[in-house]
Amino acid sequence: RGNESLLDQEGRELVQQLLELGQEHLFAHWPAPGDSDDRKMALVNQLKQLDANYPGGLQKYVTNAKRLLEESKSGKNAFEGYVPSVPEGEKLDFGSKEFREFEDIGVEASREAAFVLVAGGLGERLGYSGIKIALPTDLARTACFLKVYIESILALQAKAGGNAQLPLAIMTSGDTHERTLKLLEKENYFGMQPAQVTLLKQEKVACLSDSEAHLALDKDDPFAVQTKPHGHGDVHSLLYSSGLLKRWVQAGVKWVAFFQDTNALVFRGLPAALGVSVRYGYDMNSLAVPRKAKEAIGGIAALKKPDGKTLTINVEYNLLDPLLRASGWADGDVNDDSGYSPYPGNINQLLLKAESYLPALEATQGVIAEFVNPKYKDDTRTAFKSSTRLECMMQDFPHGLPSDAKIGFTVINQVWAAYSPVKNSPPDAKAKAAAGSPSHSATTGELDIYQTNCRCLQMLGAQIDGPEQREFNGLQVDLWPRISWTPFFAVSFADLEAKVNGPNIHISKDSTLVIEEGDVEIKSLDLDGALVVPKTGGAKVTVDGLKVQNAGWKWRALKPDKPMTEEQYIRGFLVCRQAQQYYPEEGTKEKAGAGQQNQAALTH
Ligand code: UGB
């Protein structure tokens, strides 16, 4: 009371609205006018911001929160009464004839695709202080994730020919926005036109302190509301509220591909999955992996609802087992004869058909499915251990589609081929591996790139020796020859097939091959050591009859008592560059720093 005069019209209306929503506690402690006025204004300004950031404003947020908290309190299972079955979809062997056919269709369709990278998360779980997309994908080529993604899109764009510019949106957050922008600017957008790239910044949402959906005030500052991230599902509302999806569709975009921040192999599977979307006309298609029963990733399931309609959607692993048991499968979530669960593993790499995505966003404003996950103090399920908030996940999008929408999946049967994200810190990765799960570590994220490249060349008839069994950060891993190339060299099997003559290639097990130039043909090569094909600035490179023998580059396990960088720590190794050959030799200057790195490496 008495403080009304401090507020403008908008502020007064918002406060009034919040009072009607039972949020008196936000203002009850306010002293008389003249005392702490600037702090009161700071709170009202923050509330205005929170109101503006959420579709439907704080009124809608609190109303949604009350409903979801009520459901949570009563222990309602989101999938109660639903009967799961295995949805329709395609399972492909990486590199098979069928895979390549789908890939060809997908590469062709990508001329009408737009790409969305969700990169609002910080690397806390990984034990990395920077933004994850700035991490090198591998220490042979040392290109960062963002560079690999952009190069892949540009390589697809080059195939589209003409003036095509495939658009890229990057969802950032307060934690990652500035650093993402700086990285792009510093690297000249890695070759993209700045206008091709749109950054969409997600904002945090208000925290809730109890089951009545009271907004939580900051413990140290009674003039501020606590906030937390709303989740990667924000990407849908941002594509809607920014008008970006609509503009893309007007410009002819037919497909929208979503991917996560640290999976360097995503473009190995995405074109084939796009081919599957095209052939079957999928409104939504999830690139997926074989999933071990009970593995801690969601399973994609077709759920028959009590009204007879079917919803194909990701079911989180903790819900899948009880759902199966409740529907008559007494053993719950178990492997079938293939040794895997029949429900494919969700990896959040999604392909949406723009024609159905846009109307779904317009109908829902992009707020598709929220949930709340409070940690209760006791069985009364009223008070929380700490504040909670509404969250949303991008894979829950099927809730926004009509019930006759075509939703499918594309599994790549080889787990190493299209999904090896960098998510877990060394101790967590070790624990996961010990429990028989993929470690999803920086170690495997890098080594799977080499494995995939080696196996691609093997499929084309090359003789690739190895792998060697090694231990890094306590993980038992296969170290294949370190083969890493720019996507301009090969973004598809068809590219690779056209550029290498497999049967005339031999690479020994401790070798490294780095290809930075796109226009390279390998007619014959015998490599035992390290070979770098640097950027030539456009001149075609033909490797023919080349025999390389040198001391090469060594992947050395770290010694814990020696100095190391964060990038090395999370992998458990560093690279000792002992000797290499450049071919053609003019490119050598670009690698002048290699010697310095070598000095550090020698201390290990
Ligand atoms: N992200 C954002 O952009 N904003 C956010 O608010 C949060 C995240 P995590 P998560 O790959 O196995 C997902 O944290 O959420 C970005 C699926 O939900 O790495 O634990 C973030 O930057 C799960 O079903 O993953 O689990 C990153 O790029 C399963 O598929 C992405 O969202 C799991 O990934 C994912 O964030 C998996």
Side-chain angles (χ1 to χ4, degrees), residues 117-123 125 132-133 149 171-173 176 202-203 228-235 259-263 289 295-299 314-317 345-349 389 392-395 419 421-423 440:
L117 164 61
V118 291
L122 259 190
R125 230 187 328 155
K132 287 187 279 178
I133 51 175
Y149 296 146
M171 182 168 78
T172 58
S173 66
T176 63
Q202 64 175 150
E203 300 292 343
K228 282 188 183 167
H230 190 221
H232 40 67
D234 272 348
V235 73
F259 54 103
Q260 303 196 41
D261 49 15
T262 58
N263 180 26
V289 288
E295 192 179 324
I297 59 171
N314 172 59
V315 181
E316 280 308 322
Y317 65 97
N346 170 57
I347 53 171
N348 263 6
Q349 271 135 203
R389 81 292 198 184
C392 57
M393 302 194 293
M394 65 196 243
Q395 67 266 38
Y419 189 61
V422 176
K423 292 197 184 221
H440 290 168

Side-chain angles (χ1 to χ4, degrees), residues 21 57-68 213 390:
L21 286 165
L58 277 174
Q59 183 167 35
K60 185 89 177 138
Y61 184 74
V62 172
T63 313
N64 287 347
K66 281 187 175 161
R67 175 177 48 80
L68 289 165
L390 299 191

Side-chain angles (χ1 to χ4, degrees), residues 132-153:
K132 287 187 279 178
I133 51 175
L135 267 174
T137 54
D138 68 64
L139 297 186
R141 219 189 132 215
T142 67
C144 69
F145 282 96
L146 188 54
K147 178 171 174 157
V148 171
Y149 296 146
I150 289 185
E151 286 181 340
S152 303
I153 296 168

Side-chain angles (χ1 to χ4, degrees), residues 440-457:
H440 290 168
S441 58
T443 318
T444 48
E446 169 161 347
L447 301 192
D448 282 337
I449 297 173
Y450 306 140
Q451 166 163 210
T452 299
N453 289 344
C454 287
R455 288 184 186 260
C456 286
L457 290 176

Side-chain angles (χ1 to χ4, degrees), residues 366-413:
V367 182
I368 283 149
E370 287 179 306
F371 64 95
V372 69
N373 188 16
K375 308 280 178 284
Y376 293 106
K377 264 194 181 146
D378 56 39
D379 291 347
T380 62
R381 295 173 79 85
T382 315
F384 307 154
K385 283 186 186 152
S386 60
S387 65
T388 188
R389 81 292 198 184
L390 299 191
E391 293 178 72
C392 57
M393 302 194 293
M394 65 196 243
Q395 67 266 38
D396 280 342
F397 174 70
H399 285 293
L401 282 172
S403 57
D404 58 353
K406 289 192 86 178
I407 304 178
F409 64 79
T410 306
V411 165
I412 310 290
N413 291 328

Side-chain angles (χ1 to χ4, degrees), residues 269-288:
L270 211 52
L274 180 53
V276 171
S277 281
V278 171
R279 181 169 295 170
Y280 300 130
Y282 283 153
D283 295 294
M284 174 167 171
N285 180 10
S286 301
L287 183 60

